[in-house]
């Protein structure tokens, strides 16, 4: 089987808070209960670039950003539980001895609040994302922002200057091994360490990334599915979930690719951002 990445990295999966939501919306056959959805993010240790982040999870500013009308509807739909020590910035300091100002790169899978709430904690970071993801939320406020799952106050004021907007095609796109359901991938740093593909549908221009660690190959698929059971058992979300999707047909295409990827490379670990198999933070359910 041909390798996807030329350069190995180390990946640590962490969570920064969680929200609760009825399980049946997120997966066909799910229970009526409210379940916890941890807000996962990845710390990537790159041999030359140091520590990079893939998303940030929640941060305490989420509560302010979601306080006004109509944004508080977001909080009502997905009650959030978060403690300051769970922020990406706090955990980087605790677990890696890294101050937030030392982080130079944050990869943004998409612009939903539970993925970008921590961006403003990283004043020196460049933000890597697909241009299509950024264009889908740029300048949005009020209802149009809310419909895109976007809380404008979470964005760093200088985001546009610090963004590395990746086009959907071009020189950095390389052919991927034939057995993969993605024909090409965007080599983010030109060294084959982090290879991005488009998994749109849940959100426009959503990015998933392939990496290889000592333990094997990984695919961080963001919110293309909400749990690993979804691609293992081919169980898509309930149609009710489509109200938050950018495109139902793109969602189906991305979902099918994940199922295919799992069938073709069962040892490649596909990690959805909110999958409970990768840890639910303990927390008091009181500040939602
Ligand atoms: Zn999302």
């Amino acid at each position: 089987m041909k390798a996807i990445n030329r350069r190995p990295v180390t990946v640590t999966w962490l969570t920064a808070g969680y929200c609760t939501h009825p399980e049946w919306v997120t997966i066909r056959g799910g229970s009526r209960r409210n379940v916890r959805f941890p807000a996962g993010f990845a710390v990537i240790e790159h041999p030359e670039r140091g520590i990079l982040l893939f998303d940030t999870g929640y941060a305490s500013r989420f509560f302010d950003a979601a306080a006004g009308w109509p944004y508080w509807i977001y909080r009502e739909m997905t009650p959030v539980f978060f403690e300051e020590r769970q922020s990406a910035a706090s955990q980087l300091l605790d677990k890696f001895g890294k101050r937030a100002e030392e982080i130079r790169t944050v990869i943004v899978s998409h612009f939903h609040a539970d993925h970008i709430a921590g961006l403003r904690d990283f004043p020196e970071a460049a933000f890597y994302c697909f241009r299509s993801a950024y264009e889908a939320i740029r300048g949005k406020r009020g209802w149009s922002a809310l419909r895109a799952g976007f809380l404008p106050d979470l964005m760093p004021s200088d985001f546009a200057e610090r963004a590395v907007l990746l086009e959907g095609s071009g020189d950095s796109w390389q052919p991927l091994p034939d057995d993969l359901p993605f024909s090409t991938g965007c080599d983010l740093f030109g060294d084959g360490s982090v290879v991005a593909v488009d998994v749109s549908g849940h959100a426009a221009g959503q990015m998933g990334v392939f990496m290889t660690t000592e333990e094997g190959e990984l695919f961080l698929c963001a919110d293309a599915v909400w749990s690993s059971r979804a691609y293992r058992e081919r169980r898509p979300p309930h149609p009710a979930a489509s109200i938050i999707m950018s495109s139902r047909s793109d969602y189906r295409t991305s979902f099918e690719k994940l199922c295919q990827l799992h069938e073709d490379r069962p040892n490649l670990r596909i990690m959805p951002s909110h999958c409970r198999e990768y840890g639910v933070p303990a927390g008091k359910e009181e500040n939602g």
Side-chain angles (χ1 to χ4, degrees):
M1 210 167 276
K2 263 186 81 185
I4 301 168
N5 300 100
R6 299 196 305 278
R7 189 121 209 231
V9 291
T10 303
V11 177
T12 306
W13 188 253
L14 298 170
T15 61
Y18 65 91
C19 71
T20 62
H21 204 65
E23 188 183 42
W24 65 268
V25 178
T26 68
I27 189 165
R28 200 171 64 208
S31 78
R32 297 259 140 197
R33 283 181 309 123
N34 273 340
V35 294
R36 292 180 181 189
F37 291 93
F41 66 98
V43 178
I44 303 163
E45 293 170 82
H46 185 283
E48 273 125 38
R49 294 176 162 262
I51 289 192
L52 338 172
L53 287 179
F54 176 82
D55 292 337
T56 68
Y58 289 111
S60 45
R61 70 177 61 81
F62 170 84
F63 297 105
D64 290 330
W69 172 262
Y71 306 119
W72 61 264
I73 292 171
Y74 192 118
R75 255 174 97 170
E76 291 294 309
M77 285 178 68
T78 59
V80 171
F81 303 90
F82 173 82
E83 292 166 45
E84 190 47 48
R85 63 182 171 84
Q86 297 166 335
S87 73
S90 301
Q91 293 196 69
L92 277 170
L93 192 58
D94 284 359
K95 297 179 172 135
F96 296 85
K98 280 277 169 200
R99 288 177 299 116
E101 305 79 59
E102 296 178 83
I103 304 303
R104 297 298 153 121
T105 306
V106 180
I107 301 165
V108 179
S109 68
H110 65 299
F111 288 85
H112 286 168
D114 49 338
H115 296 256
I116 65 159
L119 292 187
R120 283 171 53 186
D121 291 331
F122 300 97
E124 302 297 331
F127 302 118
Y128 283 67
C129 64
F130 283 133
R131 178 183 291 279
S132 50
Y134 180 55
E135 295 299 342
I137 53 88
R138 187 162 67 115
K140 283 198 169 149
R141 300 198 73 85
W143 284 105
S144 68
L146 183 68
R147 263 198 301 274
F150 175 62
L151 301 176
D153 288 353
L154 296 178
M155 289 289 268
S157 55
D158 57 353
F159 184 90
E161 289 97 88
R162 289 155 65 195
V164 178
L165 300 176
L166 303 158
E167 307 296 339
S169 60
D171 289 349
S172 50
W173 287 79
Q174 315 275 322
L176 289 172
D178 289 344
D179 63 306
L180 296 186
F182 302 92
S183 56
T184 57
C186 181
D187 185 357
L188 288 195
F189 308 118
D191 63 357
S193 59
V194 183
V195 175
V197 294
D198 189 297
V199 281
S200 284
H202 166 78
Q206 179 174 240
M207 181 190 287
V209 298
F210 287 100
M211 291 179 287
T212 299
T213 71
E214 255 179 23
E215 286 95 58
E217 292 175 327
L218 271 184
F219 182 55
L220 308 186
C221 72
D223 295 359
V225 290
W226 279 298
S227 69
S228 302
R229 247 166 84 207
Y231 61 76
R232 272 190 215 122
E233 300 169 20
R234 215 177 261 274
R235 290 212 254 164
H238 189 275
S242 66
I243 56 162
I244 60 110
M245 288 176 188
S246 61
S247 157
R248 286 168 77 160
S249 66
D250 287 354
Y251 187 89
R252 271 195 299 275
T253 305
S254 296
F255 181 81
E256 205 43 55
K257 285 180 179 175
L258 281 198
C259 296
Q260 198 63 50
L261 179 64
H262 176 62
E263 256 171 48
D264 294 343
R265 291 203 181 193
N267 293 327
L268 183 152
R269 188 136 66 113
I270 302 174
M271 299 180 75
S273 293
H274 308 304
C275 184
R276 282 185 298 284
E277 289 174 30
Y278 303 114
V280 181
K284 298 184 289 290
E285 299 198 357
E286 63 188 15
N287 58 349

